[in-house]
């Protein structure tokens, strides 16, 4: 077990902490290193951690790919 890695209990506390959500919709937690942590209601999927630059880059890359594909599918 890696002692530097947070426990599942700690990760769940981060998700449920309202201080980690900007306007209640944007997840921002510098302690959380996951690219796409689950949303508050896990059945709704995943969100972007805007405090993690790699997560924001991955989101922008995904959006660029989808826009490019959308232009070719016309």
């Amino acid at each position: 077990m890696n002692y530097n890695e947070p426990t599942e209990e700690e990760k769940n506390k981060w998700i449920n902490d309202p201080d980690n959500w900007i306007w209640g919709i944007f997840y921002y937690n510098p302690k959380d290193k996951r690219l796409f942590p689950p949303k508050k209601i896990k059945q709704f999927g995943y969100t972007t951690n805007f405090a993690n630059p790699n997560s924001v880059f991955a989101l922008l890359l995904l959006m660029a790919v989808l826009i490019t594909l959308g232009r070719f599918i016309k």
Side-chain angles (χ1 to χ4, degrees):
M1 179 176 168
N2 186 352
Y3 291 103
N4 294 333
E5 186 175 330
T7 63
E8 286 299 316
E9 182 180 331
E10 190 172 13
K11 290 177 185 178
N12 287 333
K13 285 181 185 176
W14 288 343
I15 292 294
N16 294 321
D17 184 358
D19 292 336
N20 291 332
W21 292 87
I22 298 172
W23 299 323
I25 55 173
F26 299 109
Y27 183 67
Y28 188 92
N29 183 0
K31 295 177 190 173
D32 194 346
K33 301 301 178 198
R34 297 176 289 180
L35 289 180
F36 298 107
K39 292 186 177 188
K40 288 181 190 179
I41 301 172
K42 293 182 181 181
Q43 290 81 3
F44 287 167
Y46 296 89
T47 188
T48 302
N49 181 5
F50 286 95
N52 183 341
N54 293 330
S55 182
V56 175
F57 178 74
L59 175 66
L60 293 174
L61 183 63
L62 177 64
M63 289 173 58
V65 167
L66 292 175
I67 290 170
T68 303
L69 286 174
R71 290 181 183 222
F72 283 114
I73 293 177
K74 280 185 181 181

